[in-house]
């Protein structure tokens, strides 16, 4: 069928959005098709490159006393030693660096961390510190290398962030500053089932609230309540609820009223910093002229030499999208598969097998499903690394090691060979492989 787009990206998470932007930057016409919401809305909004060394084993210096892993100071020093098949080993160190520069150009001053190769340690809602490469500017004043004393403020109706507990965890983790936590009631909210966006909207619109001493604005009431608890701390950390589109305005207003720096502490899902990152990426896609189709799944494909089976099945002619049970074809010259891992449903499993559902690309796994897991709940489970094996140009490989298709690349969570939650590399792998796959697809278009 006639080619409609130069590049078609399947999947609208961090990997797919980055691939589409990177291809569009090379003057390709790009379409992105995505089914459901990506994991961006659940993720913290942090972009981790490599927080922990996956090759470090007990007794080799990769662990602190007590068996806890040591966060990596410089992820770029560890990347060259990653095992063969790890996505960073496939794309190479330079692509990781370039993808971060690309991200910085897209994110502008909404993100920080570009001044150094070293990981920043960002406090999270559980009172742990997370090694990360890029973090929202709203979290910047809270990083753990900053020795200033800190007041953490939680809210009675937001039990996910227990500020006194988080403060004591931070101290126990050995951060170089004093921290104290208090719990307040949030002006204008009495129910503990209010959505996270309700907190953001009250602050963003600076809604009138009843302060007990008459009506006042939400931000004034919040600043007043925090001010009454502030001792000599020089910064205040609040859960990441300080607004949706205008979090910066809310934060600066609170800073002015309190006379100290204010920062957001990343929370669990649903996550406003994750939603803000998604908005930022989708605005960039619109500006770049990428055509975005959402809410429909790609369910199948047809190749040019359709009789080919198994590995090296030729060239994809078009994919089929399920629109209310009608199979609608979309064709392109080049394709990027960025459908996520087991969470995004880009890789699926049943009792018999682990598989990639659109193109049936090969996913290596043991025949015996009892080998997919280990006994220890927090052990190194093989299933955590299930995904597609690719060559250094990100073409998925069949069981025989040959390219599955001549015009399909893969990026992000759909790839195998790494354990994102354990090594803290999810964002960086999506960014670097999405960037590299999109760039290569955009450059290879047959114009
Ligand atoms: C709870 C949580 C917290 C996280 N926290 C962090 C963090 O702090 N730092 C960090 O760096 N990373 C974090 N991550 C990881 C990161 O957000 C992403 O999961 C990872 O980068 C994978 O992104 P992706 O684009 O490959 O896939 P996904 O985000 O899973 O997106 C895949 C997209 O493909 C779509 N799709 C799937 N199948 C089809 C189909 N057949 N047709 C069309 N579209 C399809 C899905 O609907 C989805 O939109 C977190 C993830 C989770 C789940």
């Amino acid at each position: 069928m006639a080619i409609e787009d130069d590049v078609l990206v399947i999947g609208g998470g961090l990997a797919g959005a980055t691939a589409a932007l990177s291809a569009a930057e090379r003057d390709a016409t790009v379409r992105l098709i995505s089914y459901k919401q990506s994991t961006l809305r659940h993720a913290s909004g942090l972009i981790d490159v490599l927080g922990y060394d996956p090759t470090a084993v007990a007794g080799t210096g990769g662990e602190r006393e007590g068996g806890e892993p040591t966060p990596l100071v410089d992820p770029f020093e560890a990347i060259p030693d990653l095992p063969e098949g790890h996505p960073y080993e496939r794309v190479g160190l330079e692509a990781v660096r370039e993808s971060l520069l690309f991200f910085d150009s897209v994110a502008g001053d909404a993100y920080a961390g570009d001044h150094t190769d070293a990981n920043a340690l960002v406090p999270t809602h559980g009172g742990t510190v997370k090694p990360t490469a890029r973090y929202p500017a709203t979290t910047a004043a809270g990083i753990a290398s900053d020795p200033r004393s800190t007041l953490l403020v939680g809210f009675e109706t937001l039990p996910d962030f227990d500020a006194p507990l988080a403060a004591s965890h931070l101290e126990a983790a050995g951060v170089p500053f004093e921290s104290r936590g208090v719990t307040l009631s949030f002006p204008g909210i009495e129910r503990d089932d209010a959505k996270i966006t309700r907190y953001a909207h009250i602050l963003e619109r600076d809604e009138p609230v009843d302060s007990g001493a008459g009506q006042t604005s939400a931000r004034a009431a919040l600043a007043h309540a925090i001010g009454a608890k502030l001792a000599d701390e020089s910064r205040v950390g609040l859960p990441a609820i300080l607004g949706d589109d205008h979090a910066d305005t809310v934060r600066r207003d609170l800073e002015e009223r309190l006379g100290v720096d204010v920062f957001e502490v990343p929370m669990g899902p649903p996550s406003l910093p994750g939603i803000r990152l998604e908005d930022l990426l989708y605005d960039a896609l619109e500006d770049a002229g990428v055509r975005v189709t959402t809410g429909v799944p790609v369910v199948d494909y047809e190749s040019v030499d359709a009789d080919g089976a198994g590995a090296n099945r030729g060239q994809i002619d078009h994919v089929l999208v399920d629109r209310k049970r009608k199979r609608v074809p979309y064709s392109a010259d080049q394709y990027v598969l960025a459908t996520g891992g087991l969470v995004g449903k880009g890789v699926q499993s049943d009792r018999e097998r682990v598989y990639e559902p659109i193109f049936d690309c090969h996913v290596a796994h043991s025949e015996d499903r009892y080998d997919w897991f280990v006994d220890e709940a927090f052990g190194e489970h093989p299933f955590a690394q299930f995904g597609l094996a690719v060559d250094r140009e990100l073409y998925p490989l069949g069981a025989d090691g040959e390219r599955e298709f001549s015009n399909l690349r893969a990026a992000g969570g759909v790839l195998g060979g790494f354990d994102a939650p354990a090594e803290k590399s999810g964002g960086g792998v999506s960014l670097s492989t999405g960037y590299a796959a999109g760039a290569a697809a955009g450059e290879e278009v047959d114009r």
Side-chain angles (χ1 to χ4, degrees), residues 184-185 187 211-213 216-230 254 257-258:
L184 305 176
S185 57
S211 72
T216 180
S217 81
R219 289 185 216 159
L222 181 58
H224 180 77
I226 296 172
K229 300 287 179 187
L230 197 61
L254 290 175
R257 291 173 192 270
L258 290 166

Side-chain angles (χ1 to χ4, degrees), residues 9-18 32-49 124 130-134 266-269 271 277-278 282 293 295-300 320-321 337-348 356-358 411-415 418 420-421 424-431 433:
V9 177
I10 309 166
L14 181 59
T18 307
L32 180 148
I33 300 179
S34 196
Y35 183 25
K36 296 195 174 151
Q37 286 174 345
S38 78
T39 57
L40 280 170
R41 301 180 83 82
H42 307 291
S44 61
L46 305 174
I47 305 285
D48 308 339
V49 167
T124 68
K130 192 158 193 283
T132 195
R134 295 292 185 272
M267 303 281 289
S271 148
L277 175 56
E278 185 178 63
Y282 277 73
T293 307
V296 287
V298 175
V299 288
D300 208 348
L320 293 158
V321 166
L337 181 68
T339 42
L342 288 160
V343 179
K345 300 263 186 253
V347 176
Q348 298 183 19
E356 182 283 300
I358 302 175
V414 75
L415 301 178
F418 73 118
K424 303 283 179 252
S425 63
V429 164
S430 289
L431 199 61
T433 56

Side-chain angles (χ1 to χ4, degrees), residues 11 13 63 73 94 120 133 140 165 171-172 226 244 249 251 276 314 329 334:
E63 301 194 349
V73 175
E94 264 326 290
L165 191 67
E171 293 223 331
I226 296 172
D244 195 348
T249 312
R251 188 171 52 88
R276 292 178 208 141
Q334 301 291 319

Side-chain angles (χ1 to χ4, degrees), residues 232-247:
D232 53 0
E233 289 90 357
S234 15
R235 52 182 176 167
V236 171
L238 292 148
I241 53 157
L242 296 188
D244 195 348
D245 294 329
H246 305 289

Side-chain angles (χ1 to χ4, degrees), residues 318-331:
H318 59 266
V319 294
L320 293 158
V321 166
D322 183 345
R323 278 191 182 274
K324 296 187 183 150
R325 303 225 179 93
K326 265 182 77 181
R327 285 156 71 94
V328 182
Y330 283 82
S331 71

Side-chain angles (χ1 to χ4, degrees), residues 310-313 362 389-391 395-405:
N312 202 3
R313 287 169 284 169
H362 174 65
V390 288
D391 65 14
Y395 288 95
L397 301 175
D400 60 358
E402 297 292 318
R403 288 180 178 174
E404 295 261 25
F405 298 94

